[in-house]
Amino acid sequence: MDLAFSEEQEMLWKSARDFLANKCPKTLVREMEEDEQGYSPELWKEMAELGWLGLPFPEKYEGGGFSFLDLIVLLEEMGRACLPGPFLSTVVLGGLPILEWGREEQKQYFLPKICKGEAILTLALTEPSARYDAASIRTSATPEGDDYLISGTKLFVPDAHIADWIICVTRTAETANPEEGITLFLVDAKSPGISTFVLRTIAGDKQCELTLEKVRVPRGNILGQLGQGWEMVKRIMEWAALAKSAEMVGGDQQVMEMTVNYAKERIQFDRPIGSFQIIQHYLADMSIDVDSARVSLYKAAWMLSEGLPCTNEISVIKGWISEAYRRVAAQAHQIHGAIGFTKDHDLELYFRRAKAGELFFGDADFHREVVAQQLGL
Amino acid sequence: MDFRFTEEEEAFRKEVRDFIQEVLQEVLPSDWQGVDPGPEEEAREEVYQLAVEIWRKLAAKGWIGLGWPKEYGGQEDLAKDWILKEELIYRGVPGMDMAVVQGDLILQFGTEEQKRRFIPPIAHGEVKYAIGMSEPNVGSELFALQLRAVEEADCFVLNGQKTWTTGFQHADWCVLYARTDPNAPKKSLGISVFLIDPKSPGITMRQITQMTGLAPFYEVFYDNVRVPKENLLGEKNGGRAIAMYAFGIERSYGLVVLHNARRYFEQLVQYCKETYTNGQPLAKDPVIRNRLAEMAIEIEVGRNLGDRLNWMTSQEILTVLPSCQIKVHGANVAQRVASLGMQILGPYGQLDEKSKWAKLGGRMKHTYLSSVALSMAGGTSEISRNIIAGRFGLGLPS
Ligand SMILES: Cc1cc2nc3c(=O)[nH]c(=O)nc-3n(C[C@H](O)[C@H](O)[C@H](O)COP(=O)(O)OP(=O)(O)OC[C@H]3O[C@@H](n4cnc5c(N)ncnc54)[C@H](O)[C@@H]3O)c2cc1C
């Protein structure tokens, strides 16, 4: 067994930490919460130049050829920095499905654009039921000549307002089994009939209401097989849950460190509050939450990178971090007292992101149910 | 033993409910979802204006300071005072001025002249109070406070800074804790309490935004502020006793918090009854039923603790222990209700109040953020636990 980072991974996290400390200060994070677009195009370009946007894609598509585990190392740093923008949407929700199921010409068209920062992508999955199940997919795609017409409402679609392309999960057939008859389309976001509306959310991230009214999409834009989409969605959801877990672990770690430092500095009753046993116990519990989450994250990501079945491991980490990050952030607030309750303090950024992260691609209940199923219950 | 309220108390509860019905129909907007007492009221100007209107109505009923002695406009009826608070807070009606309890301090420690001067305007619903305890370097350890008050011939001169002073912008008076003797043998023995006018020359303030986005509290700077001697509350250097009394009052704040959380909880239960997934209401889902039941039990247990606290207060039994218990429990309940609510609302929970997709008026998101403060404001849960463990509680050695 060897649980250490490879040399490349060491370099990746160090350079990512330096770069983000420089280029993604909390002033930018806050500005982007209020910003219409929610990301900095200059920063996006620099990330492309660093090779981040192409990290997991093969070199023949101008990517870096790194593994999912490597991607996780980067995402962790992004979570620590609260990096705003469509990285996860573009690379994980958009790029990876194209790499996995795209036809060669689709890969050649999309992947180099993603790597170079020339295309923002996302996935439109959830609908007003706000559930991650197949029966909730009501958005319809009906054939008309060589095209399909897509109509419906998607909700909580990340970054749809700035996306160039949207992978849209649609229903192409009504069958008794709701998991059949689902098809994924690559939809040009500028197509007539599409409108997006940015929802105002707890973390100030950009999730959208996406309305599609008879949006015309050529048959050739189907991703994967007609009617076989749900199996793909299940895989994408696993990747997304794992990627989000990495961001959450990074944020969790940062909250922990900030709080340890504060407990060492803040003096009450003539001593640092960190010298009170109760505060020490809180911090001890927090460190257990953080460290147990990180190793579980790496295990799941390693298994995925090795091509091993890891549905269970992914739900274990997402189920765990969803609770642990929330718990740690809340405890950090308690230890900070009133200063942490202010808008100007960094802590509140993490508290809000912990909640948003929990909701993204399945909360703890959702993943506990997966674990229960894996247990054969 | 008898847990019942008296017939008179029940009749009063009904009167209060009728009053609330009237207020809901005549004063508050028809889609009223309720607000939190205290900071939220102070921070949202439109709500504050409603609060002032309702506050005047309460005064007209003679319902402010129900527990006070008759000669100062009260009815010496603590049970009624509590029933009123409980009902107003539970229904999220603004105007239940949290700072009225500062009147208790004046009645307990003030001179006869001060009582006659300061109490009637409170009872008439004409003045608001703020509390100036915390400083940048002083939170839990109030007795380390540094804001300096120096006695001169005709007044005290104040220099220093307070922070987190809630509602300072609306306040007519601030109960201010200051250091009058920097050389006292113990930190706690050099403190005095003043009633200061926030409009005095030399006072400046800076608004601070909370993580909820609301901005009810202020940093307040005192630069050579002159306070007349008749505004000293209690003895010079006698602030310790006043502070201890004030802590006691603040901790029963836990019960306020609990009753406020009940409203959110009941809205959540209603939501679960009305919201269908897969053809059945959420309320039929075994996991959700289980969690709601778990929460309901926590609330009910807290109400029982609260009834005991109020009964003990009315019997003049020392309430340090139960008030600290309810402070911890109330904050826990409020945070758990918010957390459960967010969980049940799922992705909808994160939406802003103004979103057309928001459920329960977006209030669950508000309370999810605002309840973070409830285990700090009015004394942290850890300090409460220390006190539970200590001399007036479990008697553990320090
Ligand atoms: C919404 C809100 C409104 C407020 N309104 C007012 C107001 O109107 N006027 C006013 O004066 N103040 C107000 N406050 C301030 C409030 O009284 C303080 O937040 C509180 O006393 C705690 O102080 P602190 O925040 O500085 O935390 P600190 O005292 O710095 O505590 C930080 C952490 O250390 C812990 N700790 C400290 N000492 C000990 C110990 N001995 N043992 C174990 N743990 C310990 C605390 O429990 C906490 O977890 C308000 C606060 C909030 C959040």
Side-chain angles (χ1 to χ4, degrees):
Chain A
M1 196 177 282
D2 175 11
L3 300 187
F5 276 168
S6 69
E7 227 167 90
E8 268 178 339
Q9 287 161 348
E10 282 285 336
M11 270 172 55
L12 185 60
W13 84 253
K14 280 193 188 133
S15 64
R17 183 165 300 184
D18 286 350
F19 177 82
L20 291 170
N22 251 319
K23 302 285 177 145
C24 182
K26 294 299 185 285
T27 42
L28 178 78
V29 175
R30 290 181 185 281
E31 205 184 304
M32 288 303 117
E33 284 192 7
E34 300 304 320
D35 188 78
E36 282 281 303
Q37 303 277 303
Y39 81 116
S40 151
E42 299 85 72
L43 190 54
W44 189 248
K45 217 167 145 262
E46 288 184 66
M47 284 162 57
E49 283 158 12
L50 284 171
W52 289 4
L53 300 182
L55 204 75
F57 305 112
E59 283 163 28
K60 68 170 173 176
Y61 304 115
E62 303 185 38
F66 284 77
S67 69
F68 204 97
L69 181 58
D70 302 324
L71 181 63
I72 288 293
V73 171
L74 182 60
L75 280 160
E76 216 184 307
E77 291 306 317
M78 292 176 170
R80 180 185 180 95
C82 303
L83 174 71
F87 181 83
L88 200 159
S89 302
T90 300
V91 174
V92 179
L93 302 180
L96 290 179
I98 293 172
L99 177 64
E100 184 80 14
W101 297 292
R103 294 192 312 275
E104 191 52 39
E105 72 265 24
Q106 287 173 327
K107 294 188 205 179
Q108 278 175 14
Y109 179 82
F110 286 104
L111 298 181
K113 280 194 172 53
I114 291 176
C115 297
K116 285 187 276 188
E118 288 165 5
I120 291 172
L121 275 78
T122 190
L123 174 77
L125 169 60
T126 40
E127 303 197 4
S129 78
R131 292 165 71 92
Y132 292 99
D133 60 2
S136 293
I137 307 299
R138 308 303 321 154
T139 294
S140 63
T142 11
E144 202 191 74
D146 277 343
D147 302 328
Y148 275 82
L149 295 181
I150 302 181
S151 292
T153 300
K154 294 284 182 182
L155 206 57
F156 305 110
V157 183
D159 306 310
H161 65 306
I162 48 171
D164 301 296
W165 291 86
I166 299 171
I167 299 180
C168 192
V169 181
T170 67
R171 185 162 289 290
T172 37
E174 293 288 348
T175 50
N177 177 358
E179 297 193 359
E180 288 167 13
I182 287 177
T183 304
L184 274 55
F185 284 89
L186 281 154
V187 180
D188 182 341
K190 283 174 286 301
S191 312
I194 289 190
S195 59
T196 54
F197 177 80
V198 179
L199 305 166
R200 286 191 63 90
T201 55
I202 194 165
D205 51 3
K206 307 299 167 193
Q207 301 178 48
C208 303
E209 174 184 349
L210 173 72
T211 320
L212 302 114
E213 262 185 58
K214 299 203 173 136
V215 177
R216 186 172 288 277
V217 183
R219 189 180 292 268
N221 284 23
I222 290 178
L223 182 64
Q225 301 297 315
L226 180 74
Q228 308 290 310
W230 192 248
E231 282 309 312
M232 297 158 69
V233 169
K234 288 207 288 204
R235 295 280 300 284
I236 300 170
M237 278 171 52
E238 290 185 0
W239 301 336
L242 188 56
K244 185 50 91 172
S245 298
E247 285 185 13
M248 293 169 80
V249 167
D252 206 21
Q253 172 75 36
Q254 168 66 2
V255 167
M256 169 86 204
E257 288 174 21
M258 279 164 70
T259 311
V260 168
N261 290 337
Y262 187 72
K264 288 178 181 166
E265 286 160 15
R266 173 71 174 175
I267 309 283
Q268 288 291 285
F269 302 98
D270 296 323
R271 48 202 268 213
I273 57 169
S275 72
F276 295 117
Q277 196 179 40
I278 196 164
I279 301 289
Q280 294 171 349
H281 287 189
Y282 287 164
L283 287 164
D285 288 345
M286 287 162 72
S287 76
I288 297 169
D289 271 344
V290 173
D291 291 344
S292 59
R294 177 169 318 86
V295 64
S296 310
L297 170 71
Y298 292 161
K299 176 161 186 207
W302 169 79
M303 289 178 79
L304 187 65
S305 300
E306 295 294 307
L308 300 168
C310 54
T311 298
N312 190 57
E313 285 70 16
I314 289 173
S315 281
V316 165
I317 178 58
K318 185 62 169 60
W320 178 243
I321 192 68
S322 292
E323 303 257 341
Y325 191 7
R326 174 156 48 78
R327 209 158 41 216
V328 166
Q331 197 62 270
H333 270 294
Q334 189 59 24
I335 294 172
H336 276 78
I339 191 84
F341 189 63
T342 59
K343 196 75 197 165
D344 289 341
H345 200 282
D346 287 353
L347 201 52
E348 65 98 31
L349 294 171
Y350 292 91
F351 185 83
R352 292 186 288 116
R353 277 162 184 70
K355 175 46 81 177
E358 183 187 341
L359 297 168
F360 192 80
F361 283 87
D363 62 8
D365 283 333
F366 177 94
H367 287 285
R368 278 194 289 255
E369 175 56 28
V370 175
V371 171
Q373 287 170 14
Q374 293 287 318
L375 285 171
L377 294 176
Chain B
M1 197 173 288
D2 186 355
F3 276 81
R4 268 181 310 236
F5 287 94
T6 64
E7 258 171 49
E8 196 195 333
E9 286 160 0
E10 290 296 359
F12 181 69
R13 191 184 291 278
K14 178 161 186 316
E15 205 183 334
V16 172
R17 288 188 178 159
D18 291 344
F19 171 80
I20 290 173
Q21 216 43 49
E22 187 189 308
V23 165
L24 284 171
Q25 273 160 18
E26 290 170 15
V27 184
L28 297 171
S30 58
D31 58 348
W32 188 251
Q33 300 265 3
V35 287
D36 301 340
E40 187 177 9
E41 241 174 83
E42 297 284 350
R44 295 170 53 170
E45 200 48 42
E46 74 285 3
V47 175
Y48 183 73
Q49 291 314 327
L50 295 170
V52 169
E53 194 178 335
I54 296 167
W55 202 29
R56 300 262 151 79
K57 283 182 185 285
L58 288 168
K61 286 256 183 204
W63 285 356
I64 297 180
L66 278 166
W68 293 345
K70 296 203 167 99
E71 48 178 322
Y72 302 108
Q75 297 185 19
E76 295 178 23
D77 195 333
L78 283 169
K80 278 190 185 165
D81 191 44
W82 177 250
I83 288 169
L84 176 71
K85 267 191 205 161
E86 177 183 324
E87 293 291 330
L88 288 173
I89 289 161
Y90 165 54
R91 299 301 299 271
V93 175
M96 181 63 250
D97 183 8
M98 302 297 302
V100 164
V101 293
Q102 299 310 303
D104 293 6
L105 290 186
I106 298 170
L107 284 168
Q108 190 74 19
F109 297 97
T111 60
E112 195 49 42
E113 203 185 322
Q114 285 173 331
K115 293 182 200 172
R116 303 222 168 274
R117 176 176 166 211
F118 290 104
I119 296 297
I122 302 179
H124 298 155
E126 289 161 359
V127 289
K128 298 283 282 188
Y129 276 68
I131 305 167
M133 287 184 168
S134 306
E135 300 179 5
N137 293 317
V138 177
S140 298
E141 191 188 6
L142 177 67
F143 296 141
L145 63 84
Q146 291 163 354
L147 187 139
R148 189 77 170 88
V150 175
E151 185 165 12
E152 291 192 355
D154 57 335
C155 67
F156 286 86
V157 179
L158 308 181
N159 277 292
Q161 183 193 341
K162 292 288 173 187
T163 191
W164 323 131
T165 314
T166 304
F168 197 77
Q169 83 282 29
H170 292 132
D172 299 284
W173 295 101
C174 178
V175 178
L176 186 82
Y177 295 73
R179 181 158 302 284
T180 34
D181 182 1
N183 302 317
K186 281 173 81 178
K187 284 182 197 170
S188 60
L189 299 179
I191 289 166
S192 305
V193 181
F194 298 92
L195 290 153
I196 63 122
D197 176 353
K199 282 169 246 9
S200 310
I203 294 181
T204 48
M205 59 178 129
R206 192 181 73 87
Q207 198 170 24
I208 304 175
T209 305
Q210 300 179 338
M211 64 189 266
T212 51
L214 300 175
F217 57 32
Y218 287 81
E219 245 176 333
V220 186
F221 303 91
Y222 295 81
D223 181 14
N224 285 321
V225 177
R226 304 174 78 80
V227 189
K229 284 195 174 163
E230 61 265 27
N231 288 19
L232 172 70
L233 185 65
E235 307 275 308
K236 183 179 170 191
N237 296 326
R240 183 176 186 279
I242 303 179
M244 298 304 281
Y245 190 85
F247 289 158
I249 299 173
E250 287 221 5
R251 280 186 209 102
S252 60
Y253 180 57
L255 206 45
V256 170
V257 164
L258 183 92
H259 284 284
N260 193 51
R262 261 174 71 206
R263 178 179 68 258
Y264 289 111
F265 178 67
E266 285 177 15
Q267 288 169 351
L268 186 62
V269 169
Q270 196 57 29
Y271 175 82
C272 291
K273 289 181 183 162
E274 290 167 357
T275 306
Y276 281 70
T277 58
N278 299 335
Q280 69 167 11
L282 283 176
K284 291 265 186 250
D285 179 313
V287 176
I288 289 182
R289 292 157 72 85
N290 179 305
R291 296 210 177 150
L292 289 174
E294 190 180 4
M295 203 62 249
I297 292 167
E298 277 185 46
I299 292 175
E300 210 45 42
V301 168
R303 291 180 75 179
N304 293 340
L305 267 181
D307 283 348
R308 180 160 163 275
L309 169 65
N310 288 329
W311 172 78
M312 285 170 74
T313 309
S314 74
Q315 302 301 304
E316 298 185 13
I317 300 172
L318 196 65
T319 56
V320 176
L321 183 63
S323 64
C324 285
Q325 289 172 329
I326 195 83
K327 178 77 177 67
V328 175
H329 187 75
N332 282 347
V333 164
Q335 289 170 354
R336 287 187 199 144
V337 166
S339 199
L340 177 62
M342 288 295 275
Q343 217 154 7
I344 289 178
L345 296 185
Y348 284 104
Q350 65 188 324
L351 292 172
D352 210 60
E353 290 178 41
K354 293 188 196 77
S355 170
K356 73 168 194 211
W357 294 97
K359 308 286 185 198
L360 298 177
R363 295 293 301 166
M364 211 49 87
K365 176 197 143 203
H366 166 80
T367 188
Y368 184 68
L369 296 175
S370 67
S371 63
V372 167
L374 298 177
S375 42
M376 301 158 202
T380 70
S381 293
E382 291 73 28
I383 294 295
S384 291
R385 288 190 182 97
N386 287 349
I387 297 171
I388 291 172
R391 193 149 59 95
F392 296 107
L394 308 176
L396 297 169
S398 57

